[in-house]
Amino acid sequence: MMLSENRILLKRAGQFDANNSADYKVAPVYQSFEKALHMAPEAILEMIEQSGLRGRGGAGFPTGIKAQATSSSVAACMRFVVCNADEGEPGTFKDRVLMEQDPHLLIEGLLIAAFAVGAQYGYIYIRGEYFTAIEKVKAALAAARAANYIGVDIQGTEFSFDLEVMIGAGSYLCGEELTLLESLEGKRGYPRIKPPFPAEKGLWGQPTLVNNVETLANLSVLLDVGTEVYRSRGTEKSPGTKLVCVSGDIRNPGVYEVEMGCKIIDIIHDLAGGAKDGDQIQYVLLGGAAGTFASGSQLELPLCYDALKQSGLTLGSGAIMVYGNNSSLSATISSILHFFMHESCGKCVPCRVGTKQLSAAWENSSDKSRDERARILEELARDAAAIASSCLCPLGQSPVLPLASAVKNIINLLD
């Protein structure tokens, strides 16, 4: 049986014009938020936790735990909700599709999150290169504000919440939540040391809930269908649907929405049309540059957090980058290492020096034999593990993922 899409988050994609200030009346939007306004915030928090929803930004951390921590960290204070729409991971473009084709779904998810945790203000931090997404989200915000879904005494209740768009300046590192908060405060995009975590001490030292675009969009779906129906999709530990970004040597690249637990190979063949121009799939990079390499034999694995983790792979943000028999693994690794070197903020020595050394060592091996390059790759994986153990933020911890997985799974494909 062929795999088909299960469009839940994308069911309204492209069906209405976010630039039309009256269009929210045409599309059935904000009904989930209106339902939330008549619930106790504690009940919504419990609902999120019981749903099993996990963060869709890459880490897969339980969304309910984050929300509960933000809500209960301090009894009475200013709270913020921040949407991480920076999406700088290579090979990832799902949030862009959501913002361009159904920005109201994101806004509704933010409103539900804000009401649940008791936030008074929120920000949508959008990648600066997403010109169309910025335009669409701003237009949708204006429409929501005109309809009193944003502002004072929303829909006749005592809940007040304001929301604005902030634009990033192209830093990959600002996709990391604490670095993003530094940028929002007008500071240089340097990482903070954890703990404290944002739920305790986030934006301007106040409790802050930071979630990805896709994660927040799921809150609207959850409030609409309820916990039981939400959990009926996907797997026990990875419920719901997932947006995946398929690119590379593939016939039909794009964003697809599938239930968690489907096979990776079925996504590639049944939805994306398989390898293009008669190519054979040699390997796949899951999760983008900060992801892991999977061999062709591993593509029968289910798309869910735990099954992939058990195999030493990562789901990450949902990127599936396909490489055919004409691709060069050496060139792919070179591109990844150069990317991390370029994007290092330079704050900590292990990352600043280490990423440069990793890139240089691999470039300098270009004239070596295949066996010698394989040995060098193994050394680089060990060096990357040392960098990961001593750096400040996830960027320095990222090179070990593609390097170690390349050594483990596809070193025989090295050219």
Side-chain angles (χ1 to χ4, degrees):
M1 184 176 178
M2 287 189 62
L3 177 69
S4 59
E5 279 195 88
N6 190 351
R7 288 199 157 207
I8 307 298
L9 297 176
L10 296 178
K11 68 179 180 180
R12 293 198 314 244
Q15 293 183 8
F16 62 96
D17 183 5
N19 287 318
N20 185 341
S21 61
D23 231 20
Y24 70 90
K25 295 178 181 177
V26 178
V29 298
Y30 300 110
Q31 293 178 354
S32 292
F33 175 52
E34 289 178 1
K35 183 186 296 186
L37 287 173
H38 294 91
M39 296 173 63
E42 296 79 12
I44 300 173
L45 292 171
E46 178 68 17
M47 197 174 181
I48 297 171
E49 190 163 0
Q50 291 298 318
S51 73
L53 172 62
R54 298 171 67 165
R56 301 301 202 241
F61 189 80
T63 305
I65 294 178
K66 256 190 176 185
Q68 288 278 10
T70 307
S71 173
S72 61
S73 58
V74 181
C77 65
M78 183 72 172
R79 286 185 176 82
F80 296 94
V81 173
V82 174
C83 172
N84 183 348
D86 193 56
E87 196 166 50
E89 187 65 53
T92 308
F93 41 92
K94 61 185 178 63
D95 293 343
R96 174 183 177 179
V97 169
L98 276 175
M99 289 187 288
E100 289 183 357
Q101 299 193 17
D102 192 357
H104 289 294
L105 188 68
L106 164 60
I107 295 170
E108 183 174 40
L110 262 165
L111 290 169
I112 292 169
F115 182 74
V117 304
Q120 297 87 20
Y121 210 93
Y123 294 94
I124 304 174
Y125 186 96
I126 305 181
R127 178 177 175 176
E129 296 91 340
Y130 278 6
F131 305 116
T132 302
I134 292 168
E135 176 188 356
K136 297 286 189 180
V137 171
K138 284 185 174 181
L141 277 176
R145 195 181 303 278
N148 190 225
Y149 287 111
I150 298 172
V152 179
D153 297 334
I154 294 173
Q155 299 300 306
T157 68
E158 296 181 356
F159 176 57
S160 298
F161 179 74
D162 208 353
L163 182 62
E164 67 176 295
V165 170
M166 297 294 286
I167 301 173
S171 169
Y172 172 73
L173 192 56
C174 286
E176 191 273 327
E177 61 181 11
L178 286 175
T179 312
L180 183 153
L181 296 181
E182 287 285 289
S183 178
L184 270 178
E185 292 178 4
K187 302 173 185 175
R188 193 169 188 171
Y190 275 169
R192 298 178 184 176
I193 296 175
K194 299 178 183 179
F197 294 92
E200 177 187 355
K201 191 176 181 180
L203 197 59
W204 291 294
Q206 303 300 309
T208 304
L209 178 64
V210 184
N211 279 138
N212 167 264
V213 172
E214 185 184 353
T215 309
L216 290 165
N218 267 275
L219 297 185
S220 176
V221 173
L222 173 61
L223 266 290
D224 178 37
V225 302
T227 303
E228 186 176 345
V229 173
Y230 185 86
R231 290 196 69 98
S232 68
R233 306 183 183 107
T235 69
E236 181 182 356
K237 294 184 178 180
S238 299
T241 62
K242 181 76 187 76
L243 299 181
V244 293
C245 313
V246 187
S247 62
D249 298 327
I250 200 78
R251 284 195 179 95
N252 303 312
V255 175
Y256 300 94
E257 184 172 3
V258 297
E259 286 195 32
M260 289 281 204
C262 67
K263 292 182 180 180
I264 299 171
I265 192 67
D266 290 341
I267 297 172
I268 293 172
H269 283 305
D270 296 348
L271 299 181
K276 66 180 181 181
D277 300 329
D279 267 5
Q280 291 184 337
I281 298 172
Q282 297 300 301
Y283 57 92
V284 167
L285 181 57
L286 298 173
T292 48
F293 285 106
S295 66
S297 63
Q298 292 176 302
L299 300 184
E300 293 286 339
L301 287 168
L303 187 86
C304 61
Y305 295 102
D306 299 290
L308 292 175
K309 184 178 181 180
Q310 289 172 6
S311 299
L313 301 173
T314 179
L315 174 58
S317 57
I320 301 176
M321 303 170 75
V322 180
Y323 294 86
N325 50 300
N326 292 319
S327 65
S328 166
L329 177 57
S330 295
T332 302
I333 293 172
S334 178
S335 178
I336 291 172
L337 293 179
H338 183 270
F339 173 78
F340 286 125
M341 175 190 70
H342 178 268
E343 293 297 333
S344 174
C345 74
K347 182 175 182 178
C348 66
V349 174
C351 181
R352 181 179 71 241
V353 177
T355 54
K356 184 176 181 179
Q357 292 298 318
L358 291 175
S359 181
W362 187 244
E363 293 299 324
N364 291 336
S365 72
S366 60
D367 60 346
K368 303 290 193 300
S369 68
R370 181 193 170 282
D371 289 344
E372 181 66 10
R373 286 169 68 77
R375 184 191 64 78
I376 292 172
L377 185 62
E378 291 172 344
E379 288 183 355
L380 293 184
R382 288 192 291 270
D383 292 342
I387 295 170
S389 67
S390 55
C391 64
L392 286 173
C393 83
L395 187 140
Q397 298 164 4
S398 294
V400 68
L401 297 173
L403 290 175
S405 60
V407 169
K408 179 182 177 182
N409 300 326
I410 57 172
I411 197 167
N412 61 304
L413 299 175
L414 197 61
D415 50 311

